[in-house]
Amino acid sequence: MKLDVIFRVAAKIFIPFMLVFALYVQFHGDFGPGGGFQAGVVAAAMVIFYAIIFGLDAAQKIFPPRIIELMVPAGVAIFAGVGVASLFLGNDYLDYSPLMHDPVHGQHIGILLVEIGVLVTVAGTMVAIFYSFIGRGR
Amino acid sequence: MVLLTLLAAITIGIVRMRNLFGVVVLGGIYSFLMASVMIVLDAVDVAMTEASVGAGISTVLMLGALSLTKTEESVPKHLPLLPVFVAVATGAVLVFGTFALPPFGVAETPMNTHVAPYYLQNSIPDTSIPNVVTSVLSSYRGFDTLGETTVIFTAGIAVLMLLKGKRHIKPGPKRRRVSR
């Protein structure tokens, strides 16, 4: 990996902002455009960008494939788990009102949790597919 | 109109080009133009998804796939008459279907009178979320989004199984041992 030093420095400057942007898209999705899906893709793009600049091994040291592959089912589990939680609290499946004392607040929290589930699955899937594509060519 | 003309030009370019690297790049441009069309239609969430998924991730994955194959498309041996017929027929049916659609942006259409007013009026009192797209996606239609997430999960698992499958074949009782 004897890439241009400009790429490496630029990547080091860019990557934190990409992560912040992903989190912004995630948590600002209630108020502006965005949400779990878009944020997951941006977060995955950050990992892919890192892997392209610094090499696959360096990226897999920070984001191990085992954890990435665990993220794929974990997000669906978070989403479904929120539904089961509201079921146990005496309401319909995926009705978030009983999660907090105030039903409106409960809806808000439920949507946030569900979006985090979507983020985890989407980011995990994208990065895992990228890893397997690149890992196969070697 | 300009955007749609550009879209048509890029589509023709994709069809005529034989270099797959160029096709991937043109596909990324196509996705960005599509995102601009979505912004013109005031669908910012869809535009964001199209720009990040269509132009970003899928371009990278296509390039990753290209690194495993050749970058030149082979010349077809015979005229693709049947595919042309299927494509033209499907396009004609779709264009025919648009004639029955109500005019764009009319208030009395079924999609604007059925549940959309309820969502618009009750999103803030029910969920205190100003972005109605988010509240519809995650709360009112949470079950659909759960299904969507499961689709992504399933697709990811399937691709991983295809690409990461163990290379060596297990020696079965009657199968010849394959050494690698």
Side-chain angles (χ1 to χ4, degrees):
Chain A
M1 285 280 59
K2 272 275 183 187
L3 267 180
D4 203 342
V5 71
I6 297 173
F7 280 130
R8 290 165 168 260
V9 174
K12 278 186 180 164
I13 295 172
F14 265 110
I15 282 171
F17 288 105
M18 290 174 82
L19 186 57
V20 169
F21 183 66
L23 292 175
Y24 165 78
V25 170
Q26 166 76 21
F27 291 106
H28 203 258
D30 303 354
F31 308 101
F37 195 86
Q38 291 92 333
V41 172
V42 173
M46 181 201 67
V47 179
I48 291 173
F49 185 53
Y50 188 86
I52 287 175
I53 301 288
F54 293 97
L56 187 62
D57 293 329
Q60 289 191 339
K61 207 173 284 174
I62 303 178
F63 312 98
R66 180 171 293 182
I67 292 181
I68 295 288
E69 279 162 25
L70 254 177
M71 279 168 69
V72 178
V76 182
I78 292 174
F79 203 135
V82 173
V84 173
S86 58
L87 203 63
F88 272 112
L89 290 169
N91 221 325
D92 290 341
Y93 188 65
L94 286 177
D95 183 355
Y96 318 124
S97 299
L99 292 177
M100 286 277 152
H101 294 298
D102 182 13
V104 174
H105 195 194
Q107 286 281 344
H108 205 144
I109 294 291
I111 287 176
L112 263 181
L113 288 174
V114 158
E115 295 274 358
I116 287 174
V118 176
L119 166 103
V120 169
T121 289
V122 171
T125 307
M126 299 293 172
V127 176
I129 292 176
F130 175 76
Y131 275 177
S132 54
F133 259 112
I134 300 303
R136 201 176 169 83
R138 299 190 304 174
Chain B
M1 203 64 215
V2 177
L3 287 173
L4 293 181
T5 315
L6 280 173
L7 275 180
I10 284 183
T11 313
I12 293 171
I14 290 177
V15 169
R16 295 195 59 85
M17 193 173 264
R18 289 261 162 251
N19 184 358
L20 291 178
F21 183 78
V23 168
V24 170
V25 173
L26 280 182
I29 299 174
Y30 185 91
S31 287
F32 270 124
L33 281 174
M34 209 63 214
S36 315
V37 171
M38 292 301 172
I39 287 182
V40 171
L41 294 175
D42 275 345
V44 198
D45 285 84
V46 185
M48 206 163 175
T49 314
E50 177 68 41
S52 55
V53 178
I57 294 282
S58 54
T59 305
V60 170
L61 290 182
M62 285 293 207
L63 289 178
L66 263 189
S67 69
L68 301 177
T69 60
K70 288 187 292 184
T71 53
E72 279 301 312
E73 191 179 349
S74 56
V75 183
K77 293 190 179 69
H78 50 85
L79 274 178
L81 280 180
L82 183 67
V84 165
F85 173 73
V86 170
V88 169
T90 316
V93 168
L94 287 176
V95 169
F96 177 72
T98 58
F99 290 140
L101 283 179
F104 178 71
V106 174
E108 290 86 34
T109 55
M111 74 174 178
N112 286 338
T113 51
H114 186 49
V115 285
Y118 176 85
Y119 291 152
L120 289 177
Q121 282 161 11
N122 292 305
S123 174
I124 296 255
D126 279 354
T127 63
S128 76
I129 284 180
N131 185 6
V132 186
V133 176
T134 300
S135 66
V136 170
L137 266 183
S138 316
S139 184
Y140 294 115
R141 297 275 168 186
F143 216 82
D144 293 0
T145 311
L146 176 61
E148 252 171 58
T149 317
T150 317
V151 165
I152 296 171
F153 163 72
T154 322
I157 295 289
V159 172
L160 285 183
M161 277 171 68
L162 281 175
L163 285 178
K164 283 196 70 167
K166 290 267 160 55
R167 292 284 185 84
H168 59 85
I169 304 167
K170 255 188 187 172
K174 280 181 185 171
R175 191 186 289 156
R176 260 197 305 145
R177 190 175 282 266
V178 180
S179 57
R180 241 175 211 273

